[in-house]
Coordinates of all heavy atoms in Angstrom, one line a residue:
S5 N -35.0 -72.1 41.0 CA -35.3 -71.9 39.6 C -34.0 -71.8 38.8 O -33.1 -71.1 39.2 CB -36.2 -70.7 39.4 OG -36.4 -70.4 38.0
R7 N -34.1 -70.4 35.8 CA -34.3 -69.2 34.9 C -34.4 -67.9 35.7 O -35.4 -67.6 36.3 CB -35.6 -69.4 34.1 CG -35.5 -70.6 33.1 CD -36.8 -70.8 32.4 NE -37.1 -69.7 31.6 CZ -38.2 -69.6 30.9 NH1 -39.2 -70.5 31.0 NH2 -38.5 -68.5 30.1
T8 N -33.3 -67.2 35.8 CA -33.3 -66.0 36.7 C -34.2 -65.0 36.2 O -34.8 -64.2 36.9 CB -31.9 -65.5 36.8 OG1 -31.4 -65.2 35.5 CG2 -30.9 -66.5 37.5
G9 N -34.4 -64.9 34.8 CA -35.3 -63.9 34.3 C -36.7 -64.2 34.7 O -37.4 -63.2 35.0
D10 N -37.1 -65.4 34.7 CA -38.4 -65.7 35.1 C -38.7 -65.4 36.5 O -39.7 -65.0 36.9 CB -38.7 -67.2 34.8 CG -38.8 -67.5 33.2 OD1 -38.9 -66.4 32.5 OD2 -38.7 -68.6 32.9
S11 N -37.7 -65.8 37.3 CA -37.8 -65.5 38.8 C -37.9 -64.0 39.0 O -38.6 -63.6 39.9 CB -36.6 -66.1 39.5 OG -35.4 -65.5 39.1
L12 N -37.2 -63.2 38.2 CA -37.3 -61.7 38.4 C -38.7 -61.2 38.0 O -39.2 -60.4 38.7 CB -36.2 -61.0 37.6 CG -36.2 -59.5 37.7 CD1 -35.9 -59.1 39.1 CD2 -35.2 -59.0 36.7
L13 N -39.2 -61.8 36.9 CA -40.5 -61.4 36.5 C -41.6 -61.8 37.5 O -42.6 -61.1 37.7 CB -40.9 -62.0 35.2 CG -40.1 -61.4 34.0 CD1 -40.4 -62.2 32.7 CD2 -40.3 -59.9 33.8
E14 N -41.3 -62.9 38.2 CA -42.3 -63.4 39.2 C -42.3 -62.5 40.4 O -43.3 -62.4 41.0 CB -41.9 -64.8 39.5 CG -42.2 -65.8 38.4 CD -41.7 -67.2 38.8 OE1 -41.2 -67.4 39.9 OE2 -42.0 -68.2 38.0
T15 N -41.1 -61.9 40.7 CA -41.1 -61.1 41.9 C -41.7 -59.7 41.7 O -42.0 -59.0 42.6 CB -39.6 -60.8 42.4 OG1 -38.9 -60.3 41.3 CG2 -39.0 -62.2 42.8
L16 N -41.9 -59.3 40.4 CA -42.5 -58.0 40.0 C -44.0 -58.3 39.8 O -44.4 -59.0 38.9 CB -41.9 -57.5 38.7 CG -40.4 -57.1 38.8 CD1 -39.9 -56.6 37.4 CD2 -40.2 -56.0 39.8
P17 N -44.8 -57.8 40.7 CA -46.2 -58.0 40.6 C -46.8 -57.3 39.4 O -46.4 -56.2 39.0 CB -46.8 -57.5 41.9 CG -45.8 -56.5 42.3 CD -44.5 -56.9 41.8
H18 N -47.8 -57.9 38.8 CA -48.6 -57.4 37.7 C -47.8 -57.0 36.4 O -48.2 -56.2 35.6 CB -49.4 -56.1 38.2 CG -50.1 -56.3 39.5 ND1 -51.2 -57.2 39.6 CD2 -49.9 -55.9 40.7 CE1 -51.7 -57.2 40.8 NE2 -50.9 -56.4 41.5
W19 N -46.6 -57.5 36.2 CA -45.9 -57.2 35.0 C -45.8 -58.5 34.1 O -45.5 -59.5 34.5 CB -44.4 -56.8 35.3 CG -44.3 -55.4 35.9 CD1 -44.4 -55.0 37.1 CD2 -44.1 -54.3 35.1 NE1 -44.3 -53.6 37.2 CE2 -44.1 -53.1 35.9 CE3 -44.0 -54.0 33.7 CZ2 -43.9 -51.8 35.5 CZ3 -43.8 -52.7 33.3 CH2 -43.8 -51.6 34.2
S20 N -46.2 -58.2 32.9 CA -46.1 -59.3 31.9 C -44.9 -59.2 31.1 O -44.1 -58.2 31.1 CB -47.4 -59.2 31.0 OG -47.4 -58.0 30.2
K21 N -44.6 -60.2 30.2 CA -43.4 -60.2 29.4 C -43.4 -59.0 28.4 O -42.3 -58.4 28.2 CB -43.2 -61.5 28.7 CG -42.9 -62.6 29.7 CD -42.6 -64.0 28.9 CE -42.2 -65.1 29.9 NZ -42.0 -66.4 29.2
P22 N -44.4 -58.7 27.7 CA -44.4 -57.5 26.7 C -44.1 -56.2 27.4 O -43.4 -55.4 26.9 CB -45.8 -57.6 26.1 CG -46.2 -59.0 26.2 CD -45.7 -59.5 27.5
Q23 N -44.7 -56.1 28.6 CA -44.4 -54.8 29.3 C -42.9 -54.7 29.8 O -42.4 -53.7 29.8 CB -45.3 -54.8 30.6 CG -46.8 -54.6 30.2 CD -47.7 -54.7 31.4 OE1 -47.4 -55.4 32.4 NE2 -48.7 -53.8 31.4
T24 N -42.4 -55.8 30.0 CA -40.9 -55.8 30.4 C -40.0 -55.3 29.3 O -39.1 -54.6 29.4 CB -40.5 -57.2 30.8 OG1 -41.4 -57.7 31.8 CG2 -39.1 -57.3 31.3
W25 N -40.3 -55.8 28.1 CA -39.6 -55.3 26.9 C -39.7 -53.8 26.7 O -38.8 -53.1 26.3 CB -40.0 -56.0 25.6 CG -39.4 -57.4 25.6 CD1 -40.1 -58.6 25.7 CD2 -38.1 -57.8 25.3 NE1 -39.3 -59.7 25.6 CE2 -38.0 -59.2 25.4 CE3 -36.9 -57.0 25.1 CZ2 -36.8 -59.9 25.2 CZ3 -35.7 -57.7 24.9 CH2 -35.7 -59.1 25.0
L27 N -40.2 -51.6 29.0 CA -39.3 -50.9 30.0 C -37.9 -51.0 29.7 O -37.1 -50.0 29.9 CB -39.6 -51.6 31.4 CG -38.7 -51.1 32.6 CD1 -39.1 -49.6 32.9 CD2 -39.0 -52.0 33.8
F28 N -37.4 -52.1 29.1 CA -36.0 -52.2 28.8 C -35.6 -51.2 27.6 O -34.6 -50.6 27.7 CB -35.8 -53.7 28.3 CG -34.4 -53.9 27.9 CD1 -33.3 -54.0 28.8 CD2 -34.0 -54.0 26.5 CE1 -32.0 -54.3 28.4 CE2 -32.7 -54.2 26.1 CZ -31.7 -54.4 27.1

Side-chain angles (χ1 to χ4, degrees):
S5 175
R7 298 175 62 185
T8 55
D10 292 341
S11 62
L12 180 61
L13 291 175
E14 290 174 356
T15 59
L16 295 175
H18 309 293
W19 283 91
S20 62
K21 289 185 179 181
Q23 290 175 325
T24 305
W25 282 108
L27 176 64
F28 179 77

